[in-house]
Amino acid sequence: MLPDFNLHTHTFRCHHAQGEDEDYVIKAIENGYKTIGFSDHAPYIFPAGHYSGFRIDIEDAQDYADSIKALKNKYDGVIDIKLGYEVEWYPMLIGRELDYLKSFDYDYLICGQHYTGNEIESWANYTGHKTNNPEDLDRYIFQVLDAASSGEMAYIAHPDIINFKGDKGFFLDRLFFLVRELRRIDIPLEYNFLGYTDRRQYPSDDFWRMVASEGNRVVIGLDAHKPEVYEDKKHLEKMIAHMAELGLKYITDVNEILK
């Protein structure tokens, strides 16, 4: 059975996604989705002078929230539309950031940890880049665990995004620690469709076998950066079959995530 909801959808405001907001909604409806959640890369309150370039600009933040809420009203009774954000857990900045985002009256947050540290620091590591540094790995793990423990996140997006290329035995040990701790916290983990179709370093079979053995809750996230992703049932079915081979079951009721 294919999922009838997706909570990981981006918009053109993040500078690397395509299509109008309503295009995503229409494609979701046409392909049998009952819930679509927009969770574009959150506008972030940084110190003066820092610019991310891969997220909603501060000056576009209100437009994003207003657009999704307007679509929610327009399609009421046809499809359930949620306003969310994908946000990084930056230790020195997250408190102010959460206060800022709450001013938009969002429905949910997901954690997508694209940098270790606080992004603004010269040593901050982009988690998709290859690293041999055990400190990068541990920073990633503990920032994700802080986010998961906060009670602010609906789930962890692409939890296996960290592209560690050091000692594999050490890496697997640390991943197992992460999986166990996330199971203890009992927060869902996202099996990422974009990573699967793009053949990125994630989803990692090693990671997801650990998830299956520990019994973590799993959610499928399309990570849609263009509306047509909602109609790609061929690759979604293939991914779900692979998930079954790994021993994974996924959440089918959106209310299990958005409580």
Side-chain angles (χ1 to χ4, degrees), residues 41-62 85-104 117-121:
H41 296 281
Y44 221 106
I45 303 295
F46 290 111
H50 181 78
Y51 177 67
S52 279
F54 72 92
R55 64 178 73 251
I56 300 171
D57 297 334
I58 294 294
E59 54 267 30
D60 294 328
Q62 191 64 58
Y85 296 91
E86 182 179 9
V87 62
E88 289 79 11
W89 191 271
Y90 293 150
M92 294 191 303
L93 306 174
I94 190 64
R96 184 182 180 191
E97 175 68 8
L98 290 175
D99 287 342
Y100 168 64
L101 293 179
K102 286 172 183 174
S103 70
F104 297 108
N118 287 285
E119 184 179 329
I120 59 176
E121 293 145 331

Side-chain angles (χ1 to χ4, degrees), residues 12-23:
F12 65 88
R13 297 172 192 81
C14 70
H15 310 290
H16 59 278
Q18 307 167 17
E20 297 299 319
D21 303 343
E22 191 167 11
D23 295 340

Side-chain angles (χ1 to χ4, degrees), residues 127-129 160-165 195 199-204:
T127 52
H129 290 167
D160 48 342
I161 191 175
I162 185 70
N163 198 3
F164 185 74
K165 296 299 183 182
R199 299 189 178 186
R200 300 182 179 183
Q201 77 276 8
Y202 63 93
S204 159

Side-chain angles (χ1 to χ4, degrees), residues 10 51 64 84 114 137 216:
H10 293 276
Y51 177 67
Y64 169 70
H114 295 92
L137 176 58
N216 301 62

Side-chain angles (χ1 to χ4, degrees), residues 22 47-48 64 67 98 162 166 233 253 255 258:
E22 191 167 11
Y64 169 70
S67 174
L98 290 175
I162 185 70
K233 296 181 180 180
D253 183 357
N255 294 313
L258 302 181

